[in-house]
């Protein structure tokens, strides 16, 4: 079973950048498809981005495509979310997630079943 710990959230002005990190422990990291989700106040949790076990394939929500980049370093058991050109509507708690069905299930948001505790991202206008 994998454990996930996010870091890197904070307060940033609109147009700025942040990089989130998620450190994983337990299991074979490269086996897991990894993803990022977010939940804004009063809204349901939504999928942001996913990445395959090798890191060769990625998948993004339309709302972040072209602004956010997901990546992973399997040697460090870490997945990242680089967020550029941030908007106030990106404000949310961001969660790292793992899907243990295999390395190529990164684009199935409903199949993620391990979660971190979340990190707050606030974008001021």
């Amino acid at each position: 079973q994998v454990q996930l710990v996010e870091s890197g959230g904070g307060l940033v002005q609109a147009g700025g950048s942040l990089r989130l990190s998620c450190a994983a422990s337990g299991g074979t990291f490269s086996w897991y498809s990894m993803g990022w989700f977010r939940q804004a106040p009063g809204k349901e949790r939504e999928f942001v981005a996913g990445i395959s076990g090798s890191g060769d394939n990625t998948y993004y929500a339309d709302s972040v495509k072209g602004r956010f980049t997901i990546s992973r370093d399997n040697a460090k058991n870490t997945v990242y979310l680089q967020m550029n050109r941030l908007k106030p509507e990106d404000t949310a708690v961001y969660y790292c997630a793992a899907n243990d069905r295999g390395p190529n299930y990164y684009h199935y948001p409903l199949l993620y079943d391990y979660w971190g505790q979340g990190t707050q991202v606030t974008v001021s206008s």
Side-chain angles (χ1 to χ4, degrees):
Q1 186 169 345
V2 63
Q3 291 82 44
L4 306 170
V5 178
E6 302 97 334
S7 60
L11 173 64
V12 64
Q13 288 189 333
S17 298
L18 277 176
R19 188 176 83 154
L20 305 182
S21 299
C22 172
S25 59
T28 301
F29 184 65
S30 60
W31 174 254
Y32 295 98
S33 296
M34 298 296 296
W36 288 95
F37 291 72
R38 67 186 181 186
Q39 187 167 19
K43 295 187 176 182
E44 293 187 354
R45 186 168 56 196
E46 64 172 351
F47 174 82
V48 174
I51 188 167
S52 63
S54 66
D56 291 341
N57 301 103
T58 57
Y59 180 68
Y60 296 93
D62 288 343
S63 58
V64 307
K65 203 172 293 183
R67 300 188 298 123
F68 290 11
T69 302
I70 187 171
S71 62
R72 65 192 294 163
D73 185 337
N74 286 347
K76 296 182 178 179
N77 288 0
T78 301
V79 63
Y80 306 96
L81 185 68
Q82 177 67 44
M83 304 184 293
N84 298 329
R85 292 185 283 136
L86 282 160
K87 305 175 181 180
E89 51 263 44
D90 294 318
T91 295
V93 177
Y94 282 72
Y95 297 91
C96 175
N99 174 347
D100 70 352
R101 287 160 181 80
N104 294 310
Y105 288 84
Y106 57 96
H107 53 302
Y108 292 98
L110 295 180
L111 298 184
Y112 287 84
D113 41 21
Y114 297 98
W115 301 90
Q117 82 287 353
T119 186
Q120 176 70 46
V121 172
T122 303
V123 184
S124 63
S125 58

